[in-house]
Amino acid sequence: MSKTYYLPQGNEVELFKAAAGMNLPVLIKGPTGCGKTRFVEAMGEELGRDVYTVVCHDDLSAADLVGRHLIDENGTYWQDGPLTKAVRHGGICYLDEIIEARKDTTVVLHSLADYRRVLPIDRTGEVITAHPDFMLVVSYNPGYQNVLKGMKPSTKQRFISLTFNYPKAEIETEVIVKESGVDQKIAQKLVAIAGEIRQLSDSDIQEAVSTRLLIYAGKLIAHGFDPYQACIHSIVESLSDEEDVLAVLEKLISLHFIKSIHV
Amino acid sequence: MSKTYYLPQGNEVELFKAAAGMNLPVLIKGPTGCGKTRFVEAMGEELGRDVYTVVCHDDLSAADLVGRHLIDENGTYWQDGPLTKAVRHGGICYLDEIIEARKDTTVVLHSLADYRRVLPIDRTGEVITAHPDFMLVVSYNPGYQNVLKGMKPSTKQRFISLTFNYPKAEIETEVIVKESGVDQKIAQKLVAIAGEIRQLSDSDIQEAVSTRLLIYAGKLIAHGFDPYQACIHSIVESLSDEEDVLAVLEKLISLHFIKSIHV
Amino acid sequence: MSKTYYLPQGNEVELFKAAAGMNLPVLIKGPTGCGKTRFVEAMGEELGRDVYTVVCHDDLSAADLVGRHLIDENGTYWQDGPLTKAVRHGGICYLDEIIEARKDTTVVLHSLADYRRVLPIDRTGEVITAHPDFMLVVSYNPGYQNVLKGMKPSTKQRFISLTFNYPKAEIETEVIVKESGVDQKIAQKLVAIAGEIRQLSDSDIQEAVSTRLLIYAGKLIAHGFDPYQACIHSIVESLSDEEDVLAVLEKLISLHFIKSIHV
Amino acid sequence: MSKTYYLPQGNEVELFKAAAGMNLPVLIKGPTGCGKTRFVEAMGEELGRDVYTVVCHDDLSAADLVGRHLIDENGTYWQDGPLTKAVRHGGICYLDEIIEARKDTTVVLHSLADYRRVLPIDRTGEVITAHPDFMLVVSYNPGYQNVLKGMKPSTKQRFISLTFNYPKAEIETEVIVKESGVDQKIAQKLVAIAGEIRQLSDSDIQEAVSTRLLIYAGKLIAHGFDPYQACIHSIVESLSDEEDVLAVLEKLISLHFIKSIHV
Amino acid sequence: MSKTYYLPQGNEVELFKAAAGMNLPVLIKGPTGCGKTRFVEAMGEELGRDVYTVVCHDDLSAADLVGRHLIDENGTYWQDGPLTKAVRHGGICYLDEIIEARKDTTVVLHSLADYRRVLPIDRTGEVITAHPDFMLVVSYNPGYQNVLKGMKPSTKQRFISLTFNYPKAEIETEVIVKESGVDQKIAQKLVAIAGEIRQLSDSDIQEAVSTRLLIYAGKLIAHGFDPYQACIHSIVESLSDEEDVLAVLEKLISLHFIKSIHV
Amino acid sequence: MSKTYYLPQGNEVELFKAAAGMNLPVLIKGPTGCGKTRFVEAMGEELGRDVYTVVCHDDLSAADLVGRHLIDENGTYWQDGPLTKAVRHGGICYLDEIIEARKDTTVVLHSLADYRRVLPIDRTGEVITAHPDFMLVVSYNPGYQNVLKGMKPSTKQRFISLTFNYPKAEIETEVIVKESGVDQKIAQKLVAIAGEIRQLSDSDIQEAVSTRLLIYAGKLIAHGFDPYQACIHSIVESLSDEEDVLAVLEKLISLHFIKSIHV
């Protein structure tokens, strides 16, 4: 009985379960808002494993993953970080946007992501053998990668890879109806708009519209907002600040929903 | 009964209330001094929710938002930051100038700004499910954005967007009269001056004159200052340090108020 | 009864008092050593308010202004910084060379420098409403500004502005006589020298000679030093290390005082 | 009785044992996933010495190797780091990816890697003479080196060097069969694919496919996955994010395994 | 009765005493090893004031000058830094190579170096009025200055300036005889060598030979070393590592002392 | 009775002893592995003084040299660093690779390296006059120097200088025989190889082969390794990772020892 709603799009569920069964770490690639986090949460529920999600960033230190000493009236005591909790007690440790992390963070994963499956904790001298139910999952958006950032091959070549993309039109429509409460017809229009935006070149917008923004538009419409205005506030203004790009996007919306003027 | 004076300019009040009702986070874009902070304060009062305002900057750490351990005679204890307070007890957490913040600050918002609405606190191991009255609001000035700074799409695509601008002439006049105490005629002149300055190109001044500076000019005039001098000290010298730009602005003021010489 | 000697040069005293009366923050622009600090000290005495002066620099943190926790035998206690003292008990907080400060310092000022006049202290959770006698004054030297540093418009547009310059010749002469003890004639010569140096272009010297250096020269002369040597040690060698610029300045001095050779 | 499976490829075992017997430090060069770590683990078991593995990175400090003071109710106490443990009690200290380490880390090794074999610990004032069974082993990938990083000659000229490469075809086939459970024929195909990929130029892929990824592909196939899909998820998507490179690699796989379509 | 040997070269003694008497801060400019430190030490002895010397560098923080909190069994206590000691109890605080210091260090000096003569200590809230015998002296080498470093005009225009140079030949000879124990003739040869080196252009050697190095050469000769070898080890090899520059300098030495070969 | 084996190559022993006797600090320049450390150790034994060696690096702080406060149950106590120990109790403080150190480290040496011979410890307020047997020795490799790093003239002009180089052929042969156990003939071949490598230009290899590496080769040969293979693992692979340079070096080795193939 899964609480998180997830519609499979290919063989990703089988592959994830196989990797889980063979104790192999998994790398998920895909754009913003296409459902990576939701997929991992749903897999965690299906496999009966807790999910420890960490969104990576420049300042995430190894200690944020592994743990640190804290002080109380009896002196220092050790507090496990999310990675150590998953390693010790079993569970999926999911590192979202891994390429944002510093080297010292990713390097901590090496001995967990090869045949050793151990986590040495330098600060305490402990070496933890991973719980049989420990699984390591990382993700990143290939569209963001640049010369300065990117996973080192010595890290990347430790993972089974899965590539996500925006869902197919029928699936995306079904998701929008279910999540926002709009009817089938409105949802189809929103998916059509998304399709057109996703064909614009990279130089126009930094990243194409996510399913999440389409759901936001649907929610505003279901709440009674004018559909054109709903798309402006949910989709258009989230994608760009450039006046000429905004004009293109507004025009594109107006081909599907009658333009209304407000604000 | 609202204490903060706010004059609506479009559908921003309805949209904000709808987002609040549907638990969607809101992003406000707009120039300096156009009333973003005042709007959020007014909405907080109208919705009966406390507003926790944080002005973002380069050195704002995730701990400044989430909280930190402090030490007293019994050892360490945890102190909630402004974000955690709003998440735990309900309230609007308003992050002003979000694009100034470091990545580790914005990344903390991710799990609060999607369907999960949870705040995991790594340091304590606590995972807080947001109070039903928790709302996340962020703002930035699109005019400041540059290649180095800017919200990541994975952050931006989690918000309903609202674009603010300088108020229309009649509204701005009404605000100046109410806030500064000058008469209608002086206020109209100040708004006319603002209109002309706002048409100058970006290469001349970094950002156009805000309503706030017009109110300052009004206050000095209402206090008995010579109108030309009041505009020099409130408007002109706040907009530039370049001699030729100052000369243009002084000339522009002198077309509305008789030039006086002092200092 | 004012202890600090200050000679007004324009409407700066009226403007400062008006701003103080209307609770508006003040920004003073002007070159080095033209009397900005002395003016603020004198105003503090005239208004009966303590002045808390902080010279800003790259490493000044928000905690240096707001305060921090210290530890003694009973654990941590909070110590107000100079800004918090002025906010809590009344007084003028004067931030000299504000454009040298980091963003996190200036951003702390925002809620104090608009209609809210409150100082939220994140570390303690306290929100202090400013004392009626609290006034915020900042200054900078427009000649130093560059692309990397400079006040953000969102900060700058919160202040009434005042521009200082070197005093007029008669006033500067009077100041030198009073402060150094030289006679009127020597003081006039020093002011004449200053006038000529101030007309040199920026490419020659980084910043023109301040009134302070003229007073130093006067003091050395009053102490019995040869006037030419006094000017060399007080004025010339403080303005440049470049041999050709030194030669120009020495020549310029020798037109007013007979050249003597020593060292 | 060795637990770690290792197939020798040349004289590396003799050289390692000789160095161990003569107390000389060893440097291993070689690409990602070619078995450097496994070799050191196997040598440790054969020599009956514990292996302390540290993966180096930008933020690894000397204290992470040497040790640090921690605090408990009796004040500070010293905790040995992995290097100090190996120096004090005997054992192999293996620093993987040494060129990622900061200077202060590598410099700590100098007195251990020449005739002195001592470790001075500045923080405690202790000078430890290395245990007779202490051995220092470092490794790096010559393909990663760049102008900014690289071992200083004064460090490098303290080591006996060993160069690793991908195993020969027969050996690699044997390893894949043993580790993944696929049959000889599939393993040979995987090795053939690897051979072709390893002949692609550097400008196409950052680093060639490791034996580890071939084992992953074998495991997925042994688990029942379609061989083409298994290679896509194990090999292709781990090597590149570029569409044209992906197309080349997919084509290359399809020459060995029938192309299937999924996801 | 002065213990430190110092030979005056111009009016520097009078100027320093005058500045000390009038409470004006002094800035000394001059090349390496020309006797700036010795001069300040001698002045301190003559005026009966302790000298607190601080050599400035990139990492010198304001706390290193002003003081800091330390912890003992009763909690924190404050420890004065060298600047604070001089301010509180009287004495000369001498900051050598001031342009190497960070901004936060020099800015601390501002209120001490103008008419206020106070030192506010932010950390304790104390504002110390300087002892009548407090004097501030700073120095730097104009030859080192560059675009990145340099005193800000707002700092520099607070000081009386003194320019030092290498001593005149007779004085330098006398110093060498007195300090090294060589005879007058050897000393004259060393001074002649120095004169020739000091006429070489900047592109050849980074900075000309100091009196200190001449004294070293004298000491080695007085100790029985061959004069040519003594000059090589004291003068030549301290001035350059470039082979062609070394050749020029060796040639120059050989014109005064017979070339001997050793090493 | 000296335990450390050292063969003098010129007047370095006399000069070092003279400097020690006259309390002058010594600077040793020379390439990697030419025996600088061994020389200082041998001198320490000959003069009966302890040697405190510190290998400098980017992150070495002044506190690492001078000492720091530690905490135990009675509060903080001060622990001398290696420099302070040598200053207080006598001994040679040897700073290897001084140009790698930060400015704040070298600046600490100034008052110890001129006529004052005192070490002021800011943190404790103590000023230590150096023990009569204190001696300061620093070294660096002129081949590493670059525009970013290098000793400041104000530091460098405080030292007597000594230049080391690779030993002459007969001496190097004798050292290899003594240290590795190979016979005279093999040692001569190794020295011949070294001579040829040392004549290669800088663009080929970063730094020429050290005596240390020749000893390693000798040790492997004495242990029974094939001489060609021994040279590959000791010399060739320590000098370069570039394929074409490796080929040149292998060719060069094969002219002295018959090429064997392994690995």
Side-chain angles (χ1 to χ4, degrees), chain C residues 71 97 216 233 241 263, chain E residues 11 29 76 145 152 158 161:
Chain C
I71 306 179
E97 309 205 25
Y216 280 9
H233 292 297
D241 298 321
V263 172
Chain E
N11 66 351
K29 307 191 212 176
T76 54
Q145 255 189 124
K152 293 164 53 177
R158 289 162 194 272
S161 300

Side-chain angles (χ1 to χ4, degrees), chain D residues 9-12 14-15 18 22 24-25 29 69 74-76 102-104 107 110 113-116 122-125 140 142 145 151-154 156-163, chain F residues 4 32 37-38 41 53 55-57 59 64 68 70-73 79 85 97 100 144 206-210 212-213 216 219-220 223 225 229 233-234 237-241 262-263:
Chain D
Q9 302 176 40
N11 67 352
E12 73 269 26
E14 292 75 43
L15 196 78
M22 292 188 292
L24 297 180
K29 307 190 212 175
H69 283 100
N74 300 314
T76 54
R102 297 190 309 191
K103 293 279 167 60
D104 70 328
V107 138
H110 279 201
D114 63 20
Y115 75 96
R116 292 171 288 173
D122 292 348
R123 298 272 168 149
T124 62
Y140 69 89
Q145 256 188 121
M151 287 175 83
K152 293 165 51 177
S154 64
K156 212 165 164 180
Q157 296 206 5
R158 289 161 195 272
F159 292 87
I160 293 287
S161 299
L162 252 173
T163 299
Chain F
T4 299
T32 286
T37 298
R38 200 178 274 263
E41 296 266 351
T53 300
V55 185
C56 298
H57 52 80
D59 297 304
D64 292 325
R68 53 170 53 84
L70 294 179
I71 305 179
D72 70 4
E73 67 270 36
Q79 168 147 341
K85 281 184 191 159
E97 308 206 23
E100 299 289 338
Y144 285 178
Q206 209 185 335
E207 185 162 9
V209 61
S210 66
R212 183 185 293 128
L213 288 185
Y216 280 8
K219 281 189 171 181
L220 284 180
H223 189 269
F225 261 76
Q229 287 294 332
H233 292 298
S234 303
E237 295 191 344
S238 289
L239 294 183
S240 183
D241 297 322
H262 214 273
V263 170

